[in-house]
Amino acid sequence: MNKKVLVAVLSTVIAGSAFAQSSKFQGAFGQIGVGYESVDPSHASSTLTVNGRNIPVTTSASNANSIIGTVALGWYQDIAKGFLLGIGAEYSPFAGSGSTMSVSTATALPGQSAITNDYRYQKKSSYNIFLSPAMTVGTDGLAYAKVGYTGAQIATYNTLISNFTGYSLGLGYKQFFSTGWYGFLEANYASYGNQTVYVNDPAGGPTISASGTNGLTSMNGLVGIGYKF
């Protein structure tokens, strides 16, 4: 066999073997994380009608900051030398601290003074289904991004429960410290969009109907530990 042909064949085999070699992060993983989250409620509009009369309404809401915990499962697949694509799902089962939403009216009925009511606005649980493009850093590190579909259960006006959905973005870094075990740092942003809640109370007094269009965004930072199976 011609020496040049032999060298070319050997080079191709070696290059192919190097390309096919899996990174340490390829495969299934599971992880848990804890951190700090800030939830920012938003208010688009409110309406209040008493006996057919429209009453001007103003609303304000404060941020809620609390500890957060998450569990996640997923899979990373090598797609090119040094690059991976992952898919995963994570769940946060813990309710955060509630914020205060204040609803005020200039007047409600003739002869009555202005009304101000404070309500609890709380993010209960949340989930996130994501894709994660990633790049290896050395042999033991992984830098990654996340783009996902997220949902959360939100308590508004003290007792009303609404299911919000939206999108999520994240950045993170993983580092192996032992066989199979890694630590990670992560920052995430989620936007849950707006949702309108309607309330009607015709019994025992004036006929009252009200609506409020509310939304929220959240940001969190996580640290945690995981295992690559």
Side-chain angles (χ1 to χ4, degrees):
M1 181 181 290
N2 186 286
K3 288 184 179 181
K4 291 184 179 180
V5 175
L6 180 59
V7 170
V9 170
L10 289 174
S11 299
T12 302
V13 171
I14 293 171
S17 298
F19 180 86
Q21 186 178 5
S22 297
S23 70
K24 287 186 176 182
F25 285 95
Q26 176 170 295
F29 68 88
Q31 62 187 44
I32 58 174
V34 295
Y36 186 77
E37 181 175 60
S38 178
V39 176
D40 183 13
S42 62
H43 177 75
S45 63
S46 287
T47 64
L48 174 63
T49 302
V50 180
N51 288 340
R53 177 187 174 192
N54 293 325
I55 307 298
V57 177
T58 59
T59 303
S60 62
S62 60
N63 285 19
N65 303 314
S66 59
I67 301 298
I68 186 176
T70 64
V71 294
L73 294 171
W75 178 282
Y76 274 108
Q77 180 65 44
D78 287 311
I79 56 174
K81 186 174 177 60
F83 294 92
L84 301 90
L85 181 63
I87 186 171
E90 57 195 348
Y91 180 62
S92 178
F94 306 112
S97 60
S99 61
T100 300
M101 175 177 286
S102 296
V103 179
S104 302
T105 66
T107 183
L109 291 172
Q112 288 188 341
S113 60
I115 298 173
T116 299
N117 287 324
D118 290 335
Y119 301 96
R120 189 171 178 80
Y121 193 103
Q122 186 180 32
K123 178 172 175 279
K124 294 287 191 178
S125 59
S126 62
Y127 64 88
N128 187 37
I129 301 169
F130 60 87
L131 290 175
S132 178
M135 179 178 64
T136 57
V137 180
T139 58
D140 294 326
L142 187 74
Y144 60 94
K146 294 165 61 182
V147 180
Y149 173 82
T150 186
Q153 190 178 69
I154 310 298
T156 58
Y157 305 110
N158 293 341
T159 58
L160 296 177
I161 302 296
S162 300
N163 294 310
F164 284 67
T165 58
Y167 69 90
S168 65
L169 302 171
L171 292 173
Y173 180 78
K174 300 181 180 185
Q175 180 74 34
F176 277 111
F177 60 84
S178 183
T179 303
W181 292 97
Y182 64 85
F184 72 92
L185 296 169
E186 196 172 282
N188 298 285
Y189 168 84
S191 175
Y192 294 97
N194 291 324
Q195 194 168 126
T196 302
V197 175
Y198 298 92
V199 178
N200 292 289
D201 184 17
T207 300
I208 298 174
S209 63
S211 70
T213 301
N214 307 302
L216 78 159
T217 60
S218 69
M219 297 185 66
N220 67 55
L222 299 172
V223 297
I225 187 172
Y227 186 80
K228 206 287 290 185
F229 299 97

